[in-house]
Amino acid sequence: MKIRVATYNIHKGVSSIRGLPRVHALKQAIGLFHADVVFLQEVQGRHDRNAAQFGQQSHGHKHWPDAAQHEFFAGESRHAHSAYGMNAVYDHGHHGNALLSAFPICATHNHDVSDHAYEQRGILHCVLQVDGIDVHCYVVHLGLFESGRGRQTEALIKAVKASAPNGEPVIIAGDFNDWRNTLGAKLRKALGVTEVFDERASSSALGELVRTLARRKSASPSPARTFPAALPWFRLDRIYVRGFEVETAQVMHGSLWAKLSDHAPIVANLKLG
């Protein structure tokens, strides 16, 4: 069974430079992934100010839809199922993580992993039914401070071990803010996962040499550069898997993606079993 997945930090549906609404363009762009499962971060569940500012009718649609963003993205698409984990709550709305899925979502749970009151974070866990097999998906957005990310990673490991304790297929994807690449080795060791660009590297002799040298230096293989989207340099976004063969993985580059968010999305083709 083949599954195509994507992860994308959508910057709350507004452009990162001028703060203009990009919700309709994002919906079209998400369709370009042709992904069965999409892991989304910074998804606006409600934003009264943007709705008031951008909600006027224009060219047959509103710039800011009435529905929550995950529901709007899932509507009239291949993603018949969606889930949302509310993390950051404020007077005029809230945002968090979301999952869009072509497969049925049979269970969801949002883990609060906020490290302090000024930076609310969560891990959205969804169980998908894929050809009669439970696939555990975890949508992740970790904090900006390294010490907090370490504690949040421990919480992630604990959640995965508790909810998928018997080696079940796992996909963990999102914005890890792990620009120094300090968390990957811990996740690999604790959960038996690999990152999709690890697998891509191992498909060639040169890639295997790079991995061998990295292991000798006690370093993790390097994930892809995804931030800022206009000229990616920092390695912030990841897709970790267990129980899957990784066939391909790529970062979506180009002017289209630079206009939509400050992060570039990652898309990967996986084979279950």
Side-chain angles (χ1 to χ4, degrees):
M1 176 68 185
K2 295 187 177 182
I3 302 176
R4 185 170 169 88
V5 303
T7 184
Y8 196 16
N9 182 325
I10 65 167
H11 201 260
K12 305 183 186 71
V14 297
S15 61
S16 57
I17 297 176
R18 299 176 61 194
L20 298 176
R22 292 286 185 260
V23 185
H24 290 272
L26 279 164
K27 182 173 183 176
Q28 293 179 341
I30 289 169
L32 296 176
F33 297 154
H34 302 292
D36 303 299
V37 186
V38 182
F39 296 67
L40 297 174
Q41 305 87 54
E42 294 196 19
V43 178
Q44 204 84 63
R46 193 187 106 228
H47 197 297
D48 296 340
R49 292 177 183 173
N50 284 346
Q53 182 177 358
F54 303 121
Q56 299 85 0
Q57 192 81 11
S58 176
H59 303 293
H61 62 70
K62 290 183 177 181
H63 291 300
W64 198 265
D66 295 328
Q69 288 178 352
H70 70 288
E71 295 173 345
F72 176 71
F73 296 144
E76 300 177 9
S77 75
R78 63 184 299 173
H79 304 112
H81 311 276
S82 64
Y84 171 68
M86 182 172 60
N87 297 329
V89 182
Y90 25 86
D91 291 341
H92 53 276
H94 50 80
H95 71 266
N97 300 322
L99 189 84
L100 312 180
S101 176
F103 305 106
I105 300 174
C106 56
T108 66
H109 180 73
N110 196 46
H111 300 264
D112 183 357
V113 294
S114 302
D115 198 55
H116 51 82
Y118 300 102
E119 194 180 35
Q120 297 163 298
R121 303 286 182 175
I123 298 167
L124 175 63
H125 172 214
C126 299
V127 183
L128 308 185
Q129 272 285 307
V130 182
D131 279 3
I133 299 173
D134 286 349
V135 175
H136 294 262
C137 297
Y138 303 84
V139 193
V140 174
H141 190 188
L142 301 188
L144 297 175
F145 300 99
E146 187 166 5
S147 60
R149 289 196 298 273
R151 289 186 286 270
Q152 290 164 350
T153 299
E154 291 295 341
L156 170 62
I157 290 170
K158 183 178 179 181
V160 174
K161 285 185 173 181
S163 54
N166 301 312
E168 295 92 336
V170 162
I171 307 172
I172 305 169
D175 177 1
F176 284 75
N177 273 313
D178 184 21
W179 61 276
R180 294 205 311 128
N181 196 25
T182 62
L183 303 176
K186 184 182 295 186
L187 289 169
R188 291 177 181 89
K189 181 178 180 180
L191 300 176
V193 296
T194 56
E195 210 272 327
V196 292
F197 289 97
D198 300 352
E199 291 294 314
R200 186 183 68 169
S202 68
S203 64
S204 68
L206 178 59
E208 184 58 35
L209 176 61
V210 170
R211 293 184 68 199
T212 300
L213 292 174
R215 285 194 294 269
R216 288 177 181 174
K217 294 179 180 179
S218 300
S220 297
S222 294
R225 302 180 191 273
T226 58
F227 182 91
L231 189 63
W233 180 255
F234 293 102
R235 308 174 191 272
L236 302 188
D237 303 272
R238 312 275 198 278
I239 301 176
Y240 292 98
V241 298
R242 184 178 75 194
F244 292 90
E245 175 187 342
V246 180
E247 296 188 332
T248 64
Q250 68 176 122
V251 179
M252 308 296 279
H253 292 299
S255 59
L256 168 65
W257 306 105
K259 294 175 183 177
L260 296 179
S261 174
D262 51 352
H263 286 249
I266 297 174
V267 180
N269 287 310
L270 311 176
K271 186 177 181 181
L272 180 61

